[in-house]
Amino acid sequence: MKLTVLQQAIRLLAYRRMFLTNLTPVDQVRTLIRQLHPLTPPKPFIRLGPAGDGGYLVPDDLEGITTCFSPGVGGIAGFEHDCANRGMTVFMADASVDGPPSHHPAFRFCKRFIGALTDEQYITLDDWVQQSLPADSTGDLLLQMDIEGSEYEVLLATPTDLLRRFRIIVIEFHYLDQLWNKFFFQVAGRAIAKLLQTHACVHIHPNNQRGAMTLSDITIPRTMEFTFLRRDRLTGEHYRRDFPHPLDHTNTARDGLSLPKCWYGGR
């Protein structure tokens, strides 16, 4: 039987370990990006972690935060050390390693992945927090999450009341070019929309390791670091235009990757 052009294309892509999918409407992608336009926090930014990969910008609004949760353990722990040196207890989790890359008396390690369910290898963010903190704990927390694409399922599985406990949330979102994939967009878009119910984006930094994809008039870096501030900590809705921030640094020695203008500046 003679194959149609579409069937031939599907076979060719499958040979290259790829698959055709429906395209997300441009207006839906554009709307999601606009919802993520960074707002100006009431306090200036500081950098926690090194000048490179593993360092992140957060508002200098850390007073009263005594605990940091940091799922995803890499080869450096500069962010976690800076949090610990500010008096926070730092909980870290990752099943792919046996412990943090360096020691600090404030570090607590869990050898499990953070995911959408709890079993022998995985634990939900909700279960992890409940197991780590006293039952009567009520203070604000900080979350820094770099878990290679599992961030979307974690956000969807996390109760809104727990998300609200995190005054500041830093997330490295992966595979953002897949927002053009209609079915990925349905999952990732809902996860981001859920987070935006309680938090506002205040900073975005593209990871220059993986480049960007342009379609129509929209350029999407494949991996970006986002900082979110709980909405009750904001004093107004003023959109930022100062990108890159002076404290931003490239993640690798490759050429820098600027935040595309469609990602900031207001609606």
Side-chain angles (χ1 to χ4, degrees):
M1 182 178 67
K2 186 176 180 179
L3 297 176
T4 66
V5 172
L6 178 60
Q7 289 171 329
Q8 293 180 45
I10 291 174
R11 285 196 174 187
L12 177 61
L13 288 172
Y15 177 76
R16 297 176 178 271
R17 302 175 66 84
M18 302 170 68
F19 188 77
L20 287 172
T21 185
N22 292 339
L23 188 69
T24 310
V26 173
D27 61 327
Q28 292 185 22
V29 176
R30 185 178 289 115
T31 296
L32 178 63
I33 290 174
R34 286 174 177 169
Q35 291 171 343
L36 287 166
H37 280 190
L39 299 176
T40 301
K43 296 189 178 182
F45 286 101
I46 59 173
R47 187 177 184 90
L48 298 179
D53 200 40
Y56 304 95
L57 269 64
V58 301
D60 191 7
D61 187 14
L62 302 176
E63 185 176 353
I65 299 178
T66 60
T67 309
C68 169
F69 285 87
S70 181
V73 178
I76 54 175
F79 179 92
E80 292 80 3
H81 272 278
D82 283 352
C83 289
N85 289 337
R86 287 174 173 265
M88 300 182 203
T89 301
V90 180
F91 292 90
M92 307 165 73
D94 196 321
S96 68
V97 298
D98 292 325
S102 54
H103 174 73
H104 194 287
F107 287 176
R108 309 287 186 270
F109 178 73
C110 173
K111 190 175 172 59
R112 293 165 95 175
F113 293 120
I114 305 303
L117 55 84
T118 296
D119 58 19
E120 294 79 10
Q121 190 176 23
Y122 287 84
I123 186 170
T124 66
L125 182 60
D126 189 29
D127 285 344
W128 185 32
V129 171
Q130 288 192 42
Q131 291 180 17
S132 302
L133 298 180
D136 59 351
S137 173
T138 59
D140 283 354
L141 312 172
L142 186 154
L143 173 66
Q144 185 274 312
M145 183 161 56
D146 180 3
I147 50 177
E148 306 302 323
S150 295
E151 57 272 12
Y152 305 106
E153 65 173 271
V154 169
L155 288 174
L156 287 172
T158 302
T160 299
D161 286 346
L162 175 56
L163 289 177
R164 194 176 285 113
R165 287 196 63 186
F166 293 104
R167 184 187 301 176
I168 296 172
I169 297 178
V170 180
I171 302 179
E172 185 163 77
F173 281 122
H174 299 79
Y175 312 118
L176 288 170
D177 55 312
Q178 292 297 313
L179 289 173
W180 292 113
N181 176 335
K182 181 179 179 180
F183 304 104
F184 178 89
F185 182 91
Q186 290 175 351
V187 175
R190 294 299 291 170
I192 293 170
K194 179 179 181 179
L195 179 58
L196 289 175
Q197 290 179 332
T198 54
H199 292 72
C201 179
V202 294
H203 189 66
I204 308 175
H205 173 70
N207 188 319
N208 68 318
Q209 184 175 7
R210 296 179 176 87
M213 176 181 176
T214 299
L215 189 62
S216 184
D217 60 342
I218 300 173
T219 299
I220 303 179
R222 291 180 171 87
T223 303
M224 293 200 285
E225 301 158 357
F226 289 74
T227 303
F228 296 90
L229 180 65
R230 201 174 58 214
R231 291 188 179 275
D232 68 302
R233 310 298 291 189
L234 294 168
T235 55
E237 193 168 290
H238 307 288
Y239 290 96
R240 292 183 52 210
R241 297 179 182 272
D242 56 333
F243 292 93
H245 189 277
L247 294 177
D248 277 324
H249 292 274
T250 56
N251 296 75
T252 71
R254 298 181 181 182
D255 291 341
L257 179 60
S258 298
L259 182 66
K261 290 185 178 180
C262 63
W263 285 89
Y264 66 93
R267 301 187 170 102

